[in-house]
Amino acid sequence: MLAIFLDESIISDFVLFLLNFNELGCYLVQKLLFMSSNKIYIRGLRDVAACETRISFVDPFGALYYAGYDIDRLIGRVCFEEIIFLLNNGKLPNKKELENIKSTLYSGMKIPDKIIRKCANKKGHPMEILRTIISSLGEHDSDFENKEESGNNQIALQLIAQVPTIVAGIYRMRNGLKRVHPKKEYGFAENFLYMFRGKPADVAEKDAFDRYMILHADHGLNASTFAARVTASTLSDIYSAVVSAIGTLRGKLHGGASERVMAMLLDVNKPGEVEEYIQGMLFDGQKVMGFGHRVYKKEDPRSKYLRKIGKALCLDTNKKELYKKATTIQSVVHKERKIYPNVDFYAALVLNALEIPKEYFTPFFASSRIVGWTSHILEQYSEGVLIRPTSSYTGAYGTKFVPLDKR
Ligand code: COA
């Protein structure tokens, strides 16, 4: 009855007071803790908007917009360099601007061997090496606090140019191969493939890979972009923010999924065995890599394109059975769980057909997503607000202290 007249917080105050009436100081501390723990908690921040952005929009009903453009309107009509300009500047470049960005990127792609060599020979996953090299590049940016906006824009573009060269350099050095330098007459994505594989790409490969890069460039506030924005929000430097993003991307619930997709595709012997294989995984409570999405309720629009690109490449390269296995996995997973492939599923097929070893799938993802990361980092700097949520405390209060010799 009393509760009808008293507000909930007064009751909790009263209960706490009764429990602690002999320790007034402790009571006040507990009261503060109690108040601070009484927050809205949304598990996994599902559907929570943590920032405003003009860079890209992920439409849950199966569309993706880059700075206002539906990717359906961009794919096949623009090159990756135009997307870099669009995400960095909010508009598509004119001819002169495109020439300028191409030439800036080309100059930025040339990196001395020693920067890559000092880390490339270490053991570990290529994502670890990439993370370390980017971190070491940041050693030369100690005056970041005095940097003007234009200085940060310049670093962003430099990083976009450098990451693919570093990834290619890591691969070649670790495999005892000579590094291959970019060619002025090649496009940016084409040069990346060339530097990595050491041979020119044919027209179909060039086009497929340019589209792969476009489709991975940005994707709203995905986990790695969020990590980058959090770091940038403390007004730390761009390199640190990119290192945060790389560390976040490599996890298998994010960009690390495509490497596991490839392992799964190789593990299934033939299309006829897919159904039993997938049912076994689901029965064991495992997640099928490359499926499901936090935002999309329908098919990921990027997956639709990558499936098409993957199909064409697989048919060209005698990988018909690999493609068949992939599409059978898609049908079985959809039948069993009503979920769709995400970007990482058919990306594995595309990269495999382009002869990229699976350990490099996530570094390839990073080589494109660096565009989104840097755009978001710059946007976060201009926003000028610290991202610092709170937590909902579920631990104990008023725990009695026991001296060391009595524990
Ligand atoms: N395999 C099997 N079941 C899956 C699944 C997958 N890949 N993805 C989601 N599900 C199931 C969940 O188990 C859950 O089922 P339940 O409601 O019976 O518990 C349901 O679908 C909803 O999924 P949920 O866990 O709420 O999705 P999420 O938003 O928390 O997670 C991912 C999204 C991407 C992390 C998740 O789909 C996943 O782990 N996918 C595999 C990894 C991957 O491909 N990552 C790349 C993402 S781009």
Side-chain angles (χ1 to χ4, degrees), residues 46 252-254 257 282 286-294 337 339 342-344:
R46 186 181 295 271
K252 68 177 177 183
L253 296 189
H254 192 5
L282 295 173
Q286 290 180 51
K287 287 206 168 156
V288 186
M289 292 291 115
F291 283 86
H293 200 272
R294 175 57 65 83
R337 286 287 190 274
I339 50 174
N342 57 49
V343 70
D344 290 305

Side-chain angles (χ1 to χ4, degrees), residues 53 188-189 192 211 223 233 299 339 375:
T53 184
F188 187 70
F192 178 21
R211 289 174 192 224
S233 85
E299 187 174 10
I339 50 174
S375 306

Side-chain angles (χ1 to χ4, degrees), residues 128-319:
E128 291 159 15
I129 312 296
L130 174 64
R131 191 184 57 203
T132 307
I133 294 177
I134 299 297
S135 184
S136 76
L137 291 177
E139 285 168 18
H140 310 290
D141 193 35
S142 310
D143 70 335
F144 69 93
E145 286 195 32
N146 304 318
K147 212 160 245 104
E148 301 282 319
E149 196 183 320
S150 61
N152 280 327
N153 290 349
Q154 216 179 333
I155 296 181
L157 215 48
Q158 213 170 51
L159 275 166
I160 292 169
Q162 286 171 330
V163 170
T165 308
I166 293 169
V167 170
I170 296 171
Y171 169 69
R172 295 194 73 79
M173 283 190 181
R174 292 182 111 190
N175 287 283
L177 300 164
K178 247 179 100 100
R179 278 185 68 204
V180 172
H181 297 290
K183 289 192 177 187
K184 185 122 180 109
E185 65 271 27
Y186 284 1
F188 187 70
E190 183 182 6
N191 254 328
F192 178 21
L193 209 51
Y194 175 59
M195 289 189 293
F196 190 92
R197 306 192 306 179
K199 60 175 184 186
D202 64 30
V203 177
E205 289 178 327
K206 211 166 67 178
D207 189 48
F209 189 57
D210 201 73
R211 289 174 192 224
Y212 165 95
M213 293 291 274
I214 291 173
L215 291 166
H216 282 77
D218 195 41
H219 204 239
L221 200 63
N222 59 88
S224 55
T225 300
F226 181 46
R229 285 194 79 129
V230 169
T231 304
S233 85
T234 70
L235 300 186
S236 181
D237 63 293
I238 300 189
Y239 295 94
S240 299
V242 170
V243 168
S244 302
I246 292 174
T248 309
L249 182 74
R250 75 172 297 207
K252 68 177 177 183
L253 296 189
H254 192 5
S258 59
E259 182 179 342
R260 274 88 177 175
V261 168
M262 199 61 231
M264 172 173 72
L265 283 167
L266 298 175
D267 203 30
V268 185
N269 288 318
K270 47 182 191 269
E273 292 180 5
V274 163
E275 179 128 22
E276 195 185 332
Y277 185 93
I278 297 295
Q279 279 170 348
M281 279 183 81
L282 295 173
F283 184 78
D284 290 344
Q286 290 180 51
K287 287 206 168 156
V288 186
M289 292 291 115
F291 283 86
H293 200 272
R294 175 57 65 83
V295 181
Y296 292 122
K297 311 283 176 238
K298 296 236 168 130
E299 187 174 10
D300 181 331
R302 302 166 300 172
S303 155
K304 195 176 62 187
Y305 283 109
L306 290 164
R307 182 172 56 241
K308 225 163 110 186
I309 301 166
K311 180 178 182 184
L313 289 174
C314 282
L315 297 186
D316 271 3
T317 52
N318 235 351
K319 289 181 185 250

